[in-house]
Amino acid sequence: MMLLKRLIGHVDQLSEEEAGALTETTPGQLDRALAFWRGLLNLKSAAERLQILPVQVKSLIHNGLLRSTRFGTALRYVHEEDIERLLAQVAALPEPPATEAVLPLRRHCRNHRIGLVRLITLWQKGEFEGLVRHGEGAGLQAIHVLQQADAGEGGAPAPGRDLTLPETASYLSIGIASVRALRDTGYLRHEKCLNADTNHHHTLITWRSICEFEERFLTLGQLAKASKVAPMHLARQLDRTGVPTVPCGSLHVRAYERVHVGRR
């Protein structure tokens, strides 16, 4: 009953005292209140519609892209009309050109170290171009981003920026566990960075330390690619000839000093 009073008070612009003093409602008041209620979504439902996190919905509200309403509690409700408007704008985006490289929204944001909400906000302000729509995604994840020609084949990370653990593993052609071991033993350095959308920290391997590592070492995967030999066969060959791997504590990481295997 209290929620209904607050709904009526909000729709009919009554003061908190006037809404609280209501003892009966007219059919008109009830219809208006229920119609308004049906047009609201809680943060979880809004996040599901947009295919993002609830904390990112809060950031969209903070940035003025979505309206929210409270009814005397900490709970916030988003106007479904705003969600529909945003999704309609996504649906109106052009399809990606066949000759252009694109990345899904989330991956582009991770690769370029820009918050998803920040990018969407820039797009809504007309300050970001190059967005296209891909049929495989849902909600905001249907958005793909055109990549510059120098972004790297297949959307590979562009040199010069710090990389996530999976990106570093892909770049060095080793496993994530090996990246962690190289980091923990000082061969690679990392920084803690804050995600502006979620307020969560994540680890990035510094590009400078990757370059310094490559000056001295090569991984088995890199050697195998350069030699066009299966990694398993190359590993056996290196073991037979006694080429040592880098010391990484208890974990065996197949990275080798260039002086032992030659430079590419």
Side-chain angles (χ1 to χ4, degrees):
M1 183 62 181
M2 183 56 67
L3 176 59
L4 180 58
K5 288 182 178 182
R6 287 170 175 163
L7 278 170
I8 292 173
H10 181 86
V11 173
D12 289 352
Q13 298 182 334
L14 303 178
S15 68
E16 187 174 344
E17 292 76 13
E18 289 173 326
L22 288 173
T23 57
E24 58 182 24
T25 60
T26 67
Q29 286 177 319
L30 185 60
D31 289 343
R32 290 192 298 272
L34 292 178
F36 180 73
W37 176 251
R38 285 192 290 267
L40 299 178
L41 296 172
N42 60 33
L43 294 185
K44 182 179 179 181
S45 297
E48 290 174 352
R49 291 284 298 277
L50 295 175
Q51 288 295 292
I52 57 177
L53 300 172
V55 68
Q56 292 174 317
V57 174
K58 291 181 181 179
S59 295
L60 289 173
I61 294 170
H62 177 76
N63 288 0
L65 272 63
L66 299 175
R67 292 170 294 162
S68 69
T69 300
R70 281 192 176 103
F71 300 106
T73 68
L75 296 177
R76 279 192 282 187
Y77 298 89
V78 178
H79 293 244
E80 187 176 20
E81 180 183 8
D82 294 349
I83 302 290
E84 293 294 341
R85 170 186 51 78
L86 201 52
L87 292 177
Q89 290 175 324
V90 173
L93 288 170
E95 294 185 358
T99 57
E100 297 282 353
V102 299
L103 278 181
L105 176 64
R106 185 178 286 122
R107 185 175 172 189
H108 173 89
C109 291
R110 183 179 68 243
N111 283 4
H112 294 269
R113 297 178 63 183
I114 180 174
L116 182 148
V117 172
R118 171 67 175 160
L119 189 149
I120 294 298
T121 301
L122 291 174
W123 169 49
Q124 290 291 292
K125 291 181 177 179
E127 298 175 8
F128 191 95
E129 299 179 350
L131 299 187
V132 294
R133 173 181 49 81
H134 199 289
E136 295 180 358
L140 293 181
Q141 303 309 325
I143 296 176
H144 283 50
V145 187
L146 295 175
Q147 303 299 295
Q148 298 296 324
D150 61 352
E153 182 179 353
R161 67 173 181 81
D162 300 340
L163 304 182
T164 64
L165 293 179
E167 288 172 341
T168 304
S170 176
Y171 180 83
L172 294 176
S173 299
I174 54 177
I176 294 179
S178 295
V179 173
R180 291 195 178 100
L182 291 171
R183 176 200 63 189
D184 294 343
T185 48
Y187 293 101
L188 297 172
R189 295 186 300 277
H190 72 280
E191 291 183 352
K192 293 284 188 179
C193 297
L194 182 68
N195 186 310
D197 293 343
T198 65
N199 265 347
H200 292 159
H201 284 86
H202 59 281
T203 297
L204 295 176
I205 303 297
T206 67
W207 179 252
R208 182 174 180 178
S209 73
I210 294 173
C211 293
E212 291 172 354
F213 176 83
E214 286 192 297
E215 279 296 308
R216 292 184 55 200
F217 305 100
L218 285 167
T219 68
L220 176 66
Q222 290 173 321
L223 287 167
K225 284 182 180 179
S227 304
K228 297 183 179 179
V229 177
M232 179 178 64
H233 296 156
L234 182 58
R236 291 172 179 170
Q237 178 184 336
L238 293 169
D239 289 346
R240 283 196 301 269
T241 55
V243 178
T245 58
V246 299
C248 281
S250 60
L251 188 64
H252 186 213
V253 176
R254 286 197 173 275
Y256 307 85
E257 288 198 53
R258 284 181 179 269
V259 294
H260 295 146
V261 296
R263 303 179 71 91
R264 285 187 297 176

